[in-house]
Amino acid sequence: MNRGAAPAALPLPPASGGLREGDPPGRRRWVTIEDPLPLESGARLPGVRLAYETSGRRAADGSNAVLVLHALTGDSHVAGPAGPGHPAAGWWDALVGPGRALDTDRWFVVAPNVLGGCQGSTGPASPGPDGMPWGSRFPYLTVRDQVAAEAALADALGIERWAAVIGGSMGGMRALEWAVSRPERTGSLFVLAAPAAASADQIAWGAVQIGAIRSDPGWRGGDYHGAPPGGGPHRGLGQARRIAHLTYRTEPELASRFGGAPQPGEEPEHGGRYQVESYLDHHAAKLVRRFDAGSYVALAEAMNGHDVGRGRGGVRRALRRARMPALVAGVDSDRLYPLYQQRELAELLPGADVLRVVNSPYGHDGFLIETGQVGALVRELLPPAPKPLPSTVLTKELP
């Protein structure tokens, strides 16, 4: 009888799966923020670099620029094929390009890697002032801090006002913060599958994932970046991914795909796995080879602290600042960010009307998967744009 062995062994994962100096840059470019970045906590973060990618041509006055913001484990590679520096095709590739919803014959699309991330932007794996990885010294970040860094990126690119700011999930939190904190720089707004403030349930899910990483002996208090392959907190990061993935999908989808079936060639009663376990293991193994555990913690903490009403008299009063045209959408099967949260946004944002609903069996991940429906909403939001004119060279851009 087959006693159900574990899956075939892979090479040990690196201490950090984030982008490292010397790795192929792919389509990334970089901007360095010259002055230390003031943080909401009162601290200042020196030496901030943001990686970003662009698609399309910038109009001379920057009026056709659109900011697209990624989710927790996304990055700047919103569009384009897989290749050196990019292990997968763009996460919204079906939406960005000539003739697509974000038509790059008309729009200049800018997609940054978030501050605190690990795909080229400053984060816990990045060198600190002493040249060593920030690690445990990396400061606590908020969504407002991340948007402040993105505003500095816009300044460096010579973009005074975005034609639109678009984001889903964590990217939707940042898009909303752009609209509330910088309404004069946000021409229009698209928030997808995100809330005005993190709920107790969402904070709890995030806290469990953070706890899984910090409980891994390989975490080493956050100072693991010099560890050999297999010596970092990859087990905790993988467990965090498994937990998160269950919140991203739905029970009916998992039931229809896997049911209670064992993985072929394995017997759960003799130590083997069920198919759904193999599915979660697959996603965990992929993440630990392309992401940094410290970045996961920093970004999850920022999401847990998301509240556009903090210090602004509450959500209702804060949202009154955002008077630009706005479109709010949610996924009908999303159990992580349920529709009532997007309905609240649609009701309170002065420039929004009725909530748009993306129909999907895939839960929260529907905002990434249902590109046909999402693309139709993007087309609804964006007005015609002038034909882009040639732009000058960006003086603050690094190779």
Side-chain angles (χ1 to χ4, degrees), residues 50 167 172 318 326:
L50 286 189

Side-chain angles (χ1 to χ4, degrees), residues 346-391:
E347 291 172 351
L348 294 180
L349 281 167
D353 50 18
V354 298
L355 172 68
R356 307 307 198 277
V357 177
V358 174
N359 302 116
S360 177
Y362 300 114
H364 184 63
D365 272 356
F367 88 92
L368 293 170
I369 296 170
E370 306 292 354
T371 52
Q373 296 179 63
V374 174
L377 296 175
V378 172
R379 293 178 191 274
E380 180 183 343
L381 176 75
L382 289 173
K387 183 179 179 180
L389 298 175
S391 178

Side-chain angles (χ1 to χ4, degrees), residues 13-24:
S16 171
L19 190 74
R20 296 169 295 183
E21 293 294 328
D23 286 347

